[in-house]
Structures are given as structure tokens and as C-alpha cells.
Amino acid sequence: MEIRNKVSEAVIRRLPGYYRYLEQLEQSGLTRISSQQLGARMGLTASQIRQDINCFGALGQQGYGYNIGELRAHIAEILGIGRSNNVIILGAGNIGQAVAQYPGFANLGFCVKGIFDVSEALVGKNIGGVQVLHSRELDRYLEENVIHIGVLCVPADKAQAAADELVCGGVKGIWNFAPVDIAVREGISVQNVQLTDSLLVLSYHMLNDSI
Amino acid sequence: MEIRNKVSEAVIRRLPGYYRYLEQLEQSGLTRISSQQLGARMGLTASQIRQDINCFGALGQQGYGYNIGELRAHIAEILGIGRSNNVIILGAGNIGQAVAQYPGFANLGFCVKGIFDVSEALVGKNIGGVQVLHSRELDRYLEENVIHIGVLCVPADKAQAAADELVCGGVKGIWNFAPVDIAVREGISVQNVQLTDSLLVLSYHMLNDSI
């Protein structure tokens, strides 16, 4: 609870990057890193790195830097990595199928348990080891199973109704790939995936970095 | 060139969000907004908003705020929106197909001109109005067509070779969906799409916001 008041969204958004980089370093056999070295990789100053990490109470040692394994484990805990989150996907179109088969979710503890679609052509299809169910079965499914995260891969005009159904069924987090904002009650978390944002950042750099 | 030295990556990453929000405001008929109002929506303080926008030389008027249309147009120009970028996609699997058919790219000036894959089952298939070509035709295609951006939707172990081929063929920006870092020469821009990052930010909020 203490964390919540201190940590800005910008810092939170940097945490997965820290985690990925520290995991790489650990796999390559390194055991410690200075804030300067970490900053060089993350595009931040050493001072920003220290500020970010201090937010979470994981202090480095003066002249020693950070213990890579400890820092990675600490960030993993903060991000809920390995907590075993059950995930269902609404919409088995291209994005839904890509999410269902995306490597790397399972390692982080996110397990796709179900996929739902209204299309009879898709119902029954096996995607990444999970059979597509008809969307009309969603309510009953949510009564019978504990699902933490719902992934919205439905068209924009179906997103709000799908989100409402998920929240009604006890889902606590919505990962929204539909290109539309959705409203949820307090206590429910939503992350919108804005694919175009990353493309526009690329466009910015193409215009400005190559001068 | 002046811009490049002043603008942090964090500010650049916020620009697409500004653009999206200002576009919504403009469509709803509003003509001006204060830094306080803009900040409330963006999760930033009014002072941060003013700092961000001052980076690009678009000054608001004391006591008046920002002209929404002007600010949107200014950010559009900075991001290269509407510049007509030709895009090709390497890999016509789920992610490649999802990108090819993603609504909203064309409106921003990003036009998918070609899709390439090694699978004979996919070659010839029409995806979002574009026919999949065999990857062996890529070199010749790049000789004959001006392509600005290549989208990597190939498996991790094919990503570097595919990136090399794109750069060789004159592509200036790479939008990388492969879960691996790629190396490119100076003057080439790369943006990695890390789907897991957004899922982990959701996980963080689920753990911390609902307390």
C-alpha cells in the first residue's frame, strides 16, 4: 500500500524492461551491475536508475552496485511474476490467436485457460492447446472457474459488453486489445494495448535520429 | 535536430497518447484545453504537461490553455503522421496477419504494401487486400519498391537475418514483434513490441490498486 503512493506510472512502465534486462544478465552469468551500467542499457541516468529502484525499497550497495539475481527477484515479486494468473481470451481472431500462442506468457505465470468466440467456424478449434468455446458459454464458465485476467480481442463495438461480462464473472484485470476505451468499476484494472503507439514512436525516431 | 537533444524517450513515448486524446477532444467539438485538464487525463501534473509540450516549441497561452486542433496537428507533424510510409510485413502467421489487418494504421499514413512468408500454404493468400509473397522474392521486391518500414513477425531465430535483409534493401525503420533484440547499423530505427510488458503492468496494478 505504501508503494502505491510513491510510484509513478512512468516507473511502473519501466519495470518490465528492468526485469527483462536483469534476466538476460543473470542468464549470461553476471552477478552484479552498477546503476551506470543499468542506466546505459535503459536509456536513463545512473541517478534515475537509483531513484526508480529506491521506490521499491531495493537499495544497492555503495561501490558495489546491485545484486542482479536479488534485484530481478524483487522486481518479479512487485510485478506479480510467477503468481499463476488464469487468463481467458475473448475473440479468437488473429489477435486472439496470436495472444493464445504467444511464447513467454506461461513462463511469467500467465496461463491461458480458455478462448471464446461467437463464430461457429472457430468454436471447437484447438489453439495452442486450448479449445475455442462459444461466447454464450462464458457466463457459466466464469461461474465454474477462477479467472484473473480477461483479454479483449473482440471488435471495438463489442468491447464494453464483453468487459462487463468479464467483470460480472469475477475477473479482476482486463487486457484490452480492442481499439476503444472501456469503463470498469473501481477495483478492476485495465491495460489498453495501443499497437499504433509503438509504430508512432518508431516513426518519430525515423524522422529525428537519422539526421 | 534541435529537438533531438532536448526530448527524452519518456516524452516521446507519451506523444502518441497526447495525439489520441487530442483527436478525441477535437472530434467531440472542443477547441481548447488547459494543462490541468490534459494532465488529469494523461496522469501527469499540469507542470509536466507544460514541460512536455514546451519541448516541441508549442506554447500555450497563459489563462487560455492550448488550442486543441493546433496542438494535435503539431504533434502529428512531430510523429510523422500522414507522411505516407510504405510498410511490408515479414511473416504471415497470426501476428503478421493481425498487423496486416489492424485498423487505424492507414489513417495515420502507414500503408501495408506487401506480406512475405516462407510457407507455401500462406503464399498467394489474400490478407487485408494484400497477397502474401514468398520470402525468396523479398530482395527483388525491395529493389523495385520504396519501403520505409519493415515489420518483423518471424520467429526469434529468423529475426536478425530478416532485419539484415530489410536494411540491405533500404528499409529505414524496423518494427520488431519477434521476442529478441536485433542489431542494426546507425541510422536505422528499431522499435521492439514487448507484449508481455503491458501484461506485467496490468499485473502490477491488479496487485497494488485494488488494496
Side-chain angles (χ1 to χ4, degrees), chain A residues 20 79 94 175 197-198 203, chain B residues 20 79 101 175 197-198 203:
Chain A
R20 274 188 282 113
L79 289 173
N94 285 313
W175 200 25
D197 285 9
S198 146
S203 173
Chain B
R20 274 188 282 114
L79 289 173
Q101 295 173 96
W175 201 26
D197 285 9
S198 145
S203 174

Side-chain angles (χ1 to χ4, degrees), chain A residues 1 3-4 7 9-10 12-17 19-20 24 41 43 56 77-81 83 85 87 93-95 97-99 101-105 108 110 127 148-150 172-175 177-179 181 187-211, chain B residues 1 3-4 7 9-10 12-17 19-20 24 41 43 56 77-81 83 85 87 93-95 97-99 101-105 108 110 127 148-150 172-175 177-179 181 187-211:
Chain A
M1 222 178 327
I3 281 175
R4 187 165 42 142
V7 182
E9 191 64 26
I12 296 163
R13 294 194 169 277
R14 284 200 283 272
L15 288 175
Y19 180 82
R20 274 188 282 113
Q24 278 173 28
R41 167 68 180 238
F56 296 101
E77 199 188 332
I78 291 165
L79 289 173
I81 289 172
R83 271 186 168 247
N85 280 293
V87 176
N94 285 313
I95 293 182
Q97 293 198 29
V99 170
Q101 295 173 96
Y102 197 75
F105 290 153
L108 299 170
F110 300 91
I127 298 173
H148 305 93
I149 295 174
K172 296 293 178 223
I174 294 179
W175 200 25
F177 283 77
D181 282 338
I188 307 296
S189 304
V190 177
Q191 275 293 306
N192 296 313
V193 180
Q194 300 284 359
L195 276 186
T196 45
D197 285 9
S198 146
L199 181 59
L200 290 174
V201 171
L202 175 64
S203 173
Y204 173 90
H205 284 295
M206 288 170 66
L207 279 172
N208 291 282
D209 293 356
S210 55
I211 296 166
Chain B
M1 223 180 325
I3 281 175
R4 186 164 43 142
V7 183
E9 191 65 25
I12 296 164
R13 293 193 171 279
R14 282 200 283 273
L15 287 176
Y19 180 82
R20 274 188 282 114
Q24 279 173 28
R41 167 67 180 237
F56 297 101
E77 199 187 333
I78 290 165
L79 289 173
I81 290 171
R83 271 186 168 246
N85 281 290
V87 176
N94 285 312
I95 294 181
Q97 292 196 30
V99 170
Q101 295 173 96
Y102 197 76
F105 291 152
L108 299 169
F110 300 92
I127 298 172
H148 306 93
I149 294 174
K172 297 293 179 225
I174 294 179
W175 201 26
F177 285 76
D181 282 338
I188 307 296
S189 303
V190 178
Q191 275 293 305
N192 296 313
V193 180
Q194 300 284 359
L195 276 186
T196 47
D197 285 9
S198 145
L199 181 58
L200 290 174
V201 171
L202 175 64
S203 174
Y204 173 91
H205 284 295
M206 288 169 68
L207 279 172
N208 292 283
D209 293 356
S210 54
I211 297 168

Side-chain angles (χ1 to χ4, degrees), chain A residues 83-94:
Chain A
R83 271 186 168 247
S84 184
N85 280 293
N86 292 335
V87 176
I88 61 169
I89 298 168
L90 303 194
N94 285 313

